[in-house]
Amino acid sequence: MTDPNTAPRPQLWILRHGETEWSKSGQYTGLTDLPLTVEGEQQAVEARKILDQVDFDLVLTSPLRRARRTAELAGFPDAQHEPLAVEWNYGDYEGISSDLIRKDNPDYLIWTHGVPNGESLDEVAARADKIVARVLESGLDNVLIVAHGHFSRILTARWLELAPTEGRHFILGTAKVCTLGWDKKTPAIVRWGL
């Protein structure tokens, strides 16, 4: 039996997909399967410079094409599709910017108000929890997941054992790389937004 005090502690690396037209304009992009812009493709190529320095035991990607293409350009054409890693289903707010929503509801914040006819924050967090559990139970050293902005922020909060609403504190630009790991036995952010 492995001693939990000496068992390997995996690191979960996150790569947000590169820019799309909607991420550029600030529109909520959940399950709409948009391609990367030319700039987004270049961002993914640039991310490769950081990721090339790491030996990954497992690479997962959201099945949406903006994430798959980012994974491919970052050097992982054979990344395993992980359906749990899709972006938040924004329901009626798909394709709409939060600025537009705030014209009718000035206090609107997705983290507290949610989205009509879409996923609840708790539903997105439940998907993130399954990925965290998979990584923690894997016995692997380095796992990379190529995913989406809000989902990655919620995934980070759950890795840190925080409420999913705390994801609001982790701003993550397109094609940015993060590492979630440990401070001794405490889940921690090792690198953010490289």
Side-chain angles (χ1 to χ4, degrees), residues 123-163:
E123 288 171 325
V124 182
R127 291 193 283 113
D129 286 345
K130 289 177 183 174
I131 291 173
V132 169
R134 178 179 178 185
V135 172
L136 294 177
E137 295 164 4
S138 71
L140 302 174
D141 291 325
N142 289 296
V143 176
L144 171 65
I145 188 162
V146 183
H148 308 273
H150 276 130
F151 180 78
S152 296
R153 294 166 69 183
I154 294 164
L155 181 65
T156 298
R158 301 308 296 146
W159 178 273
L160 298 173
E161 301 172 352
L162 300 173

Side-chain angles (χ1 to χ4, degrees), residues 33-63:
D33 210 4
L34 297 177
L36 298 177
T37 61
V38 171
E39 174 66 19
E41 292 202 350
Q42 185 56 45
Q43 291 171 342
V45 169
E46 290 296 314
R48 184 176 188 156
K49 294 174 185 173
I50 297 165
L51 298 170
D52 269 349
Q53 302 168 31
V54 182
D55 184 20
F56 290 103
D57 303 298
L58 176 64
V59 179
L60 304 170
T61 183
S62 159

Side-chain angles (χ1 to χ4, degrees), residues 58-113:
L58 176 64
V59 179
L60 304 170
T61 183
S62 159
L64 296 173
R65 69 177 167 170
R66 60 192 182 269
R68 289 191 337 259
R69 181 69 173 145
T70 298
E72 179 184 322
L73 292 170
F76 307 99
D78 299 321
Q80 219 179 88
H81 290 195
E82 176 48 76
L84 295 172
V86 295
E87 182 59 292
W88 195 333
N89 175 350
Y90 297 118
D92 294 349
Y93 288 166
E94 182 75 7
I96 298 174
S97 73
S98 57
D99 289 343
L100 187 59
I101 297 164
R102 277 195 278 285
K103 284 186 178 182
D104 291 330
N105 180 359
D107 296 328
Y108 175 77
L109 194 61
I110 193 169
W111 301 99
T112 52
H113 291 83

